[in-house]
Amino acid sequence: MRLKFTLLMLPFLFVNIVKGQESGNANYGNNKYYANQVSTIQTTSSSQDEMIITIKGIYNENATSKIAVFSILQLGKTAEETTSMMDERIANVVAQIQSFNKEIEVVTDMISFVPMYEYQVEKKIFNPKTYNEKPSGFELKKNLIIKYKTHVEFDKIISICAKQEIYDLAKVDYVTNNFTSIKDQMQNRAIEEFKKTLSNYSTIMNMDLSKKEKIIQEGFNVSYPMESYRSYQAYSQANANFDKKDVVNNVVKNTTQYYNSVPVKSHTFIINPEIASPCIQIFYELTIRIKLKEDQLPKNTIQKNNKYYVITSTGDIKLLNI
């Protein structure tokens, strides 16, 4: 009997273990699980006089082309040597890029060309030392501007530039030729969303809101990937007790950046939501103010408020009731 009782208890123990695993570690030990409370984002407000409806949208656009800007520094003893070395480096980059893909455009932008100085000591008998500036070389700065389209092309550009000791990538601009089309699409989508919302509210409020007087306000904005990167520092700290006499050296944590797109949660709709790579984000907002309380007088009605007076023979002024 004792053995039989032990076997009957095993299924119940197994069920309890599985249930504990499915609930997660938030309920383990002294931890207590608390529900995440999220406040809603207001998109419509109203009073007895008017209703305000806001429609917001995001359009994620892949760039039709990208422009990378590399900064190049060249030092030399003479002006001729400096310019010659700079020209050679740029010519090598252009030749290798053209052999890889002739559609990639490469141009240069002149930044500065200045001499550098050092101090030369002039010694004189019975006089203190005199320090005079003397040209010691030249410094030439140019920007290498490269227009490309794909990530594969950019990886090849980085490799080619690195061979010429060009490492300083100043920025990458994202360009699109579809702004007009995107604006039309977002306007049309916002109008569809507004019509749907207006129909629902008309049913709820038992009145035809489509015939009410309205005031419209709209706006556009654009966010480029260069504006959306955020800094991030890796964190990992060992948890150990050391003797006070021990010397502890912490490793310097790596600092990097990541692309942080604008979240969708505060917007009514999003077009092209499944874009993983950094992209151009276009924002559209349509605000409609609906007048709920009608004027007592119809539109285009002129209300006359003329008063007529008469002067009597005695000089008194009396109002006529007409």
Side-chain angles (χ1 to χ4, degrees), residues 13-30:
L13 290 173
F14 176 74
V15 171
N16 288 335
I17 292 172
V18 173
K19 183 177 180 181
Q21 290 174 337
E22 289 177 349
S23 67
N25 291 334
N27 290 325
Y28 181 75
N30 296 325

Side-chain angles (χ1 to χ4, degrees), residues 123-163:
K123 296 181 180 180
K124 295 183 180 180
I125 302 175
F126 307 116
N127 286 329
K129 294 180 180 179
T130 302
Y131 295 88
N132 299 319
E133 283 188 335
K134 178 184 178 182
S136 61
F138 290 85
E139 178 187 85
L140 176 59
K141 290 183 179 180
K142 284 187 178 183
N143 283 342
L144 188 64
I145 304 172
I146 305 175
K147 183 179 179 182
Y148 64 98
K149 291 183 178 181
T150 67
H151 295 294
V152 175
E153 293 175 349
F154 184 63
D155 291 340
K156 185 64 176 180
I157 291 169
I158 291 290
S159 176
I160 292 173
C161 290
K163 293 178 182 178

Side-chain angles (χ1 to χ4, degrees), residues 196-211:
K196 187 188 305 180
T197 303
L198 200 67
S199 176
N200 294 336
Y201 288 155
S202 295
T203 303
I204 295 172
M205 301 178 69
N206 195 25
M207 65 172 64
D208 190 357
L209 296 175
S210 63
K211 296 181 179 180

Side-chain angles (χ1 to χ4, degrees), residues 297-313:
L297 294 174
K299 288 184 177 180
N300 303 323
T301 299
I302 300 175
Q303 183 182 13
K304 295 182 179 180
N305 192 22
N306 298 330
K307 295 181 180 181
Y308 299 91
Y309 299 87
V310 63
I311 302 176
T312 63
S313 59

Side-chain angles (χ1 to χ4, degrees), residues 10-224:
L10 286 175
F12 292 97
L13 290 173
F14 176 74
V15 171
N16 288 335
I17 292 172
V18 173
K19 183 177 180 181
Q21 290 174 337
E22 289 177 349
S23 67
N25 291 334
N27 290 325
Y28 181 75
N30 296 325
N31 296 319
K32 292 183 180 181
Y33 173 77
Y34 296 97
N36 183 20
Q37 302 295 329
V38 179
S39 299
T40 58
I41 299 172
Q42 181 175 298
T43 57
T44 304
S45 62
S46 66
S47 64
Q48 63 180 359
D49 296 326
E50 70 172 4
M51 173 184 289
I52 303 174
I53 300 175
T54 301
I55 308 293
K56 294 183 179 182
I58 298 179
Y59 193 112
N60 290 330
E61 168 72 352
N62 276 324
T64 54
S65 61
K66 302 173 186 177
I67 301 176
V69 180
F70 291 86
S71 177
I72 312 175
L73 171 65
Q74 181 63 58
L75 302 177
K77 294 182 179 180
T78 64
E80 293 77 8
E81 180 187 34
T82 306
T83 56
S84 175
M85 294 173 68
M86 172 71 81
D87 292 343
E88 182 180 358
R89 294 168 67 187
I90 294 176
N92 290 336
V93 170
V94 173
Q96 293 181 46
I97 289 178
Q98 290 297 310
S99 64
F100 167 68
N101 188 345
K102 293 183 178 180
E103 294 184 358
I104 298 178
E105 300 179 24
V106 183
V107 297
T108 59
D109 181 22
M110 179 68 180
I111 303 301
S112 65
F113 187 30
V114 294
M116 297 182 297
Y117 294 91
E118 64 183 9
Y119 287 101
Q120 184 180 42
V121 181
E122 182 180 354
K123 296 181 180 180
K124 295 183 180 180
I125 302 175
F126 307 116
N127 286 329
K129 294 180 180 179
T130 302
Y131 295 88
N132 299 319
E133 283 188 335
K134 178 184 178 182
S136 61
F138 290 85
E139 178 187 85
L140 176 59
K141 290 183 179 180
K142 284 187 178 183
N143 283 342
L144 188 64
I145 304 172
I146 305 175
K147 183 179 179 182
Y148 64 98
K149 291 183 178 181
T150 67
H151 295 294
V152 175
E153 293 175 349
F154 184 63
D155 291 340
K156 185 64 176 180
I157 291 169
I158 291 290
S159 176
I160 292 173
C161 290
K163 293 178 182 178
Q164 302 300 321
E165 297 182 353
I166 301 174
Y167 311 112
D168 189 2
L169 177 62
K171 66 172 183 174
V172 177
D173 290 330
Y174 286 60
V175 181
T176 179
N177 299 323
N178 302 322
F179 272 121
T180 302
S181 173
I182 291 171
K183 183 177 180 180
D184 293 339
Q185 291 184 55
M186 299 190 77
Q187 282 181 325
N188 294 334
R189 178 65 180 274
I191 292 172
E192 292 177 5
E193 295 290 339
F194 172 69
K195 288 179 178 179
K196 187 188 305 180
T197 303
L198 200 67
S199 176
N200 294 336
Y201 288 155
S202 295
T203 303
I204 295 172
M205 301 178 69
N206 195 25
M207 65 172 64
D208 190 357
L209 296 175
S210 63
K211 296 181 179 180
K212 297 292 184 180
E213 182 179 350
K214 302 173 183 66
I215 300 175
I216 297 176
Q217 181 180 356
E218 70 171 352
F220 281 90
N221 203 351
V222 181
S223 176
Y224 292 94

Side-chain angles (χ1 to χ4, degrees), residues 219-234:
F220 281 90
N221 203 351
V222 181
S223 176
Y224 292 94
M226 187 176 179
E227 304 169 330
S228 302
Y229 277 88
R230 299 293 180 267
S231 297
Y232 169 74
Q233 185 177 36

